[in-house]
Amino acid sequence: LCFSQTEEWIYYNKIEGSPGTYSPFVYRIKPDGTENEIIMENVMMSDISEDGLKILFINNYGAIYLVNLESMDTTIVDFWEGSGSHEARFTYDENVIVYLDRYTIGYDSFEQLYKHSFIDNSETLIDTLLNRSFDNITMSPDKQRSAYFKEDQDGVHVVIVDFQNGQTSTLVTLPIMSNLPELMMKLSYWGQDDYIYLTLMDSNNI
C-alpha cells in the first residue's frame, strides 16, 4: 500500500479469486473513496516513483514491468538468474532500480541484490548471501543509499550501499540467527532522522 506524492490516489495490491485460481491485481482508489479502479492484472506493485507517474510491477514469474501511467508505455525486463525477482525499488535516478533475486544453496535460501539501468539495460550484482529474514531493500529517504543484511560465518552484517559510487560499508555485525521463519523480521525502515529501524529477536526468542 502506498500514497503517490501528489496524494491524488492510493495504490494497493489485492488477491482475488478462489483456491487454485487466485490472481493478484493492482488497484488505485481516491482518498475520499469516490473512485476505485484496477490498474493491472496478474502482477503485484513493488514501488511508485516520487511524482506518481511510474510504477514497478512484478508478475508471478519474477519479470519486472516499468509502466508510465500517463502514456501506459510498458518496459518489461525478464530475470532468470535464480527463481525470479520478487521486490524492486526506484533509486534517486528513476532510470535505475534495484531488485532482489532469490536462490538456494543446499537447504538454505538467500537473496542477491542487483542494480538495473533502463538506459543501457545493464545489470550489476551488488551483493549476495543476503539473509531472507530481513527487508533487504531498506531505502534511505533520498534513495541514494540502501541497507541490507548479509550473512556469513561471522554473523549477519548490516551493510549500506551507496548507489552513486557503488561503495558498501558495514555498520555492525549481529549474531547468526538460524532457524527463523521467513518474514519474522521483515519491514525495516530508514527514517527521516537518519536512523534505521528494524525488528530483532531478543534473548528469549520472543
Side-chain angles (χ1 to χ4, degrees):
L1 184 77
C2 66
F3 245 119
S4 65
Q5 287 295 106
T6 59
E7 298 189 358
E8 295 177 353
W9 293 97
I10 299 171
Y11 293 81
Y12 64 97
N13 295 314
K14 185 179 180 183
I15 303 296
E16 297 183 356
S18 56
T21 62
Y22 287 124
S23 297
F25 293 81
V26 179
Y27 282 81
R28 68 179 183 178
I29 186 171
K30 289 286 189 179
D32 61 5
T34 55
E35 297 180 51
N36 189 25
E37 58 189 32
I38 294 176
I39 298 299
M40 189 171 287
E41 301 178 11
N42 299 315
V43 294
M44 297 287 283
M45 178 184 62
S46 191
D47 198 12
I48 186 169
S49 63
E50 291 291 332
D51 59 12
L53 299 179
K54 297 178 182 178
I55 298 185
L56 292 172
F57 301 97
I58 298 180
N59 70 7
N60 293 334
Y61 302 100
I64 295 175
Y65 294 68
L66 173 64
V67 178
N68 186 311
L69 292 178
E70 287 188 319
S71 63
M72 293 309 293
D73 290 339
T74 303
T75 302
I76 303 175
V77 184
D78 293 304
F79 303 112
W80 301 106
E81 289 86 352
S83 58
S85 309
H86 62 96
E87 191 172 341
R89 295 286 185 272
F90 287 106
T91 66
Y92 68 97
D93 179 352
E94 292 181 353
N95 291 307
V96 178
I97 64 170
V98 290
Y99 71 93
L100 295 173
D101 180 71
R102 189 171 294 170
Y103 68 106
T104 60
I105 299 177
Y107 295 103
D108 296 321
S109 296
F110 298 94
E111 293 176 332
Q112 299 178 119
L113 181 61
Y114 284 87
K115 181 174 69 173
H116 177 84
S117 171
F118 286 105
I119 297 177
D120 57 10
N121 207 36
S122 63
E123 295 288 320
T124 303
L125 175 63
I126 296 175
D127 213 338
T128 187
L129 290 176
L130 276 59
N131 189 308
R132 284 179 55 190
S133 295
F134 293 90
D135 184 358
N136 282 313
I137 304 184
T138 301
M139 302 294 292
S140 64
D142 60 11
K143 297 193 174 185
Q144 294 183 11
R145 295 171 292 166
S146 180
Y148 62 91
F149 303 86
K150 179 181 175 68
E151 182 175 354
D152 60 21
Q153 67 274 8
D154 296 324
V156 178
H157 308 285
V158 182
V159 184
I160 302 297
V161 57
D162 188 316
F163 297 124
Q164 290 185 306
N165 56 31
Q167 295 182 348
T168 61
S169 58
T170 300
L171 296 181
V172 67
T173 298
L174 308 170
I176 294 177
M177 304 172 192
S178 60
N179 300 320
L180 292 178
E182 189 177 354
L183 301 180
M184 176 66 74
M185 296 180 294
K186 289 285 189 180
L187 300 176
S188 53
Y189 179 74
W190 194 320
Q192 293 288 344
D193 55 4
D194 218 25
Y195 277 89
I196 297 172
Y197 297 85
L198 64 150
T199 302
L200 295 175
M201 302 287 282
D202 66 18
S203 58
N204 295 320
N205 293 326
I206 298 176

